[in-house]
């Protein structure tokens, strides 16, 4: 009987792996731009899916995690579209972490995906916070989740009081790094401070996860770009164009204010608003979109 059970389990695993392989082949053969078809690929109820998965819930969690990455990557690489993009991202992440409540990567990477500003992501920091709160319910002593919520409040929502509170909670957890307490204090004193942001990203850049390190490196470049934009705008407004002309880099070249086109830290030329002289990162830059302005979670 035991041998028979092992045989059945092995056959079930092989069948499940074959189904996953067929789904991957299907994604390569057919376009994924049919919203109605995409919507029916997933069961929305986590508890229902757990019952269907039987003892293969961890394996199925891996499948849904892969689907979440595919959905995020596919929509990010697709052309400009309505803000209905990424609409399956949170449901997929929720299902993944319901099937496997200890799926650390899905929580932390998923939170970054959700909070990423549109069009690089859905721009849904409230969903990011909800996913991380779910992680805390499963693993309440893991300081990284409290830290990540503080990061979302700080970097995406510009709510420095809330960010400080979450950094304090992170500092109170077992094995938390000693830099969290002074970081929380800094948030309370001077929240909108690039020095604090730079320090925070420098700490994240030391993460063991390569994806988090790459995200931190990009954000540090964005901070550098913000410093450069301040300097460029000071020059642009110090030397305004003659009456009747618009702001332009060419005009600044002609007047010998600048000798070359200014580029951001990623090497892409900065854009200048011809009416106001405001300088911004180009939409073609790897640093676009830059961090959003402050807004609060309802």
């Amino acid at each position: 009987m035991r041998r028979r059970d092992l045989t059945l389990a092995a056959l079930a695993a092989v069948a499940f792996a074959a189904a996953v392989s067929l789904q991957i082949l299907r994604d390569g053969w057919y376009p994924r731009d049919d919203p109605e078809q995409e919507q029916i690929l997933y069961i929305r109820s986590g508890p229902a899916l757990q019952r269907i998965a039987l003892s293969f819930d961890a394996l199925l969690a891996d499948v849904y995690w892969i689907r979440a990455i595919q959905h995020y990557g596919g929509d990010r690489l697709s052309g400009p579209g309505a803000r209905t993009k990424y609409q399956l991202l949170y449901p997929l992440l929720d299902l993944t972490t319901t099937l496997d409540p200890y799926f650390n990567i899905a929580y932390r990477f998923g939170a970054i995906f959700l909070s990423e500003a549109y069009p690089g992501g859905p721009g849904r920091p409230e969903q990011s916070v909800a996913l991380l709160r779910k992680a805390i319910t499963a693993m309440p002593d893991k300081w990284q989740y409290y830290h990540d919520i503080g990061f979302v409040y700080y970097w995406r929502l510009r709510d420095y009081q809330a960010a400080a509170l979450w950094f304090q909670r992170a500092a109170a957890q077992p094995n938390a790094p000693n830099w969290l307490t002074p970081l929380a204090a800094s948030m309370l004193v001077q929240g909108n401070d690039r020095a604090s942001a730079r320090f925070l990203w420098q700490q994240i850049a030391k993460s063991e996860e390569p994806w988090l390190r790459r995200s931190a490196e990009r954000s540090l470049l964005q901070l550098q770009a913000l410093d450069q934009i301040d300097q460029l705008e000071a020059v642009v407004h110090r030397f305004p164009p003659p009456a009747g002309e618009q702001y332009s880099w060419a005009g600044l070249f002609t007047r010998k204010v600048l000798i070359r086109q200014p580029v951001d830290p990623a090497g892409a030329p900065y854009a200048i608003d011809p009416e106001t002289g405001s300088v911004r990162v180009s939409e073609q830059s790897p640093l676009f979109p830059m961090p959003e302005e402050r807004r609060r979670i309802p």
Side-chain angles (χ1 to χ4, degrees), residues 229 233 236-237 241 245-249 252 261 270-282:
I229 286 171
E233 287 188 340
V236 168
H237 291 105
E245 293 187 17
Q246 294 184 317
Y247 289 94
S248 69
W249 297 127
L252 291 168
Q261 172 88 34
Y270 281 110
I272 185 170
D273 188 299
E275 300 296 331
T276 66
S278 297
V279 179
R280 65 184 183 278
V281 166
S282 166

Side-chain angles (χ1 to χ4, degrees), residues 56-109:
F56 298 101
D57 48 356
L59 179 60
L60 195 55
D62 289 337
V63 172
Y64 271 84
W65 170 236
I66 292 170
R67 295 298 294 167
I69 295 174
Q70 289 176 328
H71 178 64
Y72 172 76
D75 277 6
R76 181 170 181 138
L77 292 174
S78 64
R83 290 197 68 139
T84 55
K85 290 172 61 172
Y86 307 105
Q87 60 186 331
L88 289 177
L89 183 56
Y90 181 78
L92 286 169
L93 292 168
D94 186 47
L95 284 169
T96 300
T97 52
T98 297
L99 288 164
D100 184 354
Y102 303 100
F103 204 146
N104 180 58
I105 292 176
Y107 286 123
R108 300 199 73 192
F109 286 8

Side-chain angles (χ1 to χ4, degrees), residues 253-272:
F253 302 154
T254 300
R255 299 197 302 278
K256 302 188 184 305
V257 176
L258 296 175
I259 60 173
R260 65 175 64 90
Q261 172 88 34
V263 297
D264 67 32
Y270 281 110
I272 185 170

Side-chain angles (χ1 to χ4, degrees), residues 159-282:
D159 188 338
Y160 308 114
Q161 296 292 319
L165 174 63
W166 282 100
F167 287 134
Q168 288 173 339
R169 291 176 179 174
Q173 303 310 310
N175 303 313
N178 56 12
W179 51 263
L180 281 167
T181 299
L183 179 62
S186 175
M187 296 290 159
L188 291 172
V189 175
Q190 46 184 17
N192 190 14
D193 174 23
R194 285 180 197 162
S196 297
R198 190 169 280 108
F199 176 78
L200 174 57
W201 279 116
Q202 286 170 345
Q203 301 308 314
I204 296 175
K206 300 174 184 177
S207 169
E208 297 178 357
E209 304 292 349
W211 207 98
L212 284 175
R213 291 200 300 271
R214 288 194 295 270
S215 179
E217 290 164 3
R218 177 175 178 270
S219 295
L220 287 168
L221 291 178
Q222 287 181 321
L223 288 170
Q224 187 179 341
L226 290 172
D227 291 340
Q228 291 179 354
I229 286 171
D230 287 347
Q231 296 168 4
L232 287 169
E233 287 188 340
V235 171
V236 168
H237 291 105
R238 184 180 175 187
F239 299 96
E245 293 187 17
Q246 294 184 317
Y247 289 94
S248 69
W249 297 127
L252 291 168
F253 302 154
T254 300
R255 299 197 302 278
K256 302 188 184 305
V257 176
L258 296 175
I259 60 173
R260 65 175 64 90
Q261 172 88 34
V263 297
D264 67 32
Y270 281 110
I272 185 170
D273 188 299
E275 300 296 331
T276 66
S278 297
V279 179
R280 65 184 183 278
V281 166
S282 166

Side-chain angles (χ1 to χ4, degrees), residues 31-61:
R32 62 185 302 279
D33 57 358
D34 184 344
E36 293 184 0
Q37 188 177 27
E38 190 178 51
Q39 292 287 347
I40 64 174
L41 290 177
Y42 311 100
I43 299 171
R44 293 297 186 108
S45 170
L49 192 57
Q50 281 182 312
R51 291 192 293 272
I52 295 171
L54 300 177
S55 60
F56 298 101
D57 48 356
L59 179 60
L60 195 55

